Amino acid sequence: MSDCVFCKIVSKEIPASIVYEDDVALAFKDLEPQAPVHVLIVPKKHIKSLTDTTPEDKETISHIMVDVIPELAKEFKIVDNGFRTVINTGVEGGQTVAHLHFHLIGGRSMQWPPG
Ligand code: AMP
Ligand code: ZN
């Protein structure tokens, strides 16, 4: 999608600190990290939000959750102490970029409930 910042990162039109890439997913460091480790994982396909997925997206979404996020958590050494994975959806969910993304946040103690 031409006006989507994450699509532009996927197509390398704008720079990002990329930490993982495969055929269907890309991960890069958040521009405004909320913790020592803050990585965003996105499907390369433009999907607006979790509620805009289709059955054909199932494989990619589960790949991100089952393969990519645990692998990145190991790479950033946050498995032992634990970490948080967040998907914000819509205005009240706090979603500011309309391209589905998973936050991988770790390296400090988290609070609950989130703000
Ligand atoms: P959300 O509020 O869940 O939509 O999260 C959007 C996230 O994208 C925020 O944590 C932003 O800091 C991050 N972000 C926005 N633009 C960029 C960018 N160009 N590169 C990396 N992270 C970004
Ligand atoms: Zn997009």
Side-chain angles (χ1 to χ4, degrees):
M1 208 184 163
S2 57
D3 61 347
C4 170
V5 64
F6 288 175
C7 282
K8 286 181 178 164
I9 288 174
V10 168
S11 64
K12 316 276 167 67
E13 276 175 72
I14 66 170
S17 181
I18 293 170
V19 295
Y20 175 85
E21 180 166 17
D22 64 26
D23 288 350
V24 295
L26 185 77
F28 49 92
K29 292 187 180 174
D30 197 293
L31 210 52
E32 294 178 42
Q34 302 300 313
V37 177
H38 190 167
V39 171
L40 301 175
I41 304 96
V42 304
K44 284 188 168 177
K45 176 187 169 187
H46 181 83
I47 302 168
K48 196 173 151 204
S49 80
L50 199 57
T51 50
D52 293 282
T53 52
T54 63
E56 70 175 22
D57 301 323
K58 260 186 193 173
E59 207 174 316
T60 297
I61 303 303
S62 55
H63 166 60
I64 287 173
M65 294 189 74
V66 172
D67 303 318
V68 180
I69 290 174
E71 187 57 39
L72 285 168
K74 282 179 206 150
E75 189 180 322
F76 283 95
K77 301 187 189 322
I78 52 175
V79 171
D80 287 350
N81 285 343
F83 58 90
R84 184 167 288 175
T85 310
V86 174
I87 306 169
N88 294 324
T89 303
V91 176
E92 291 204 352
Q95 183 176 9
T96 59
V97 177
H99 181 132
L100 176 62
H101 52 282
F102 298 69
H103 295 257
L104 171 62
I105 306 168
R108 68 168 169 81
S109 202
M110 304 292 157
Q111 306 301 311
W112 192 264

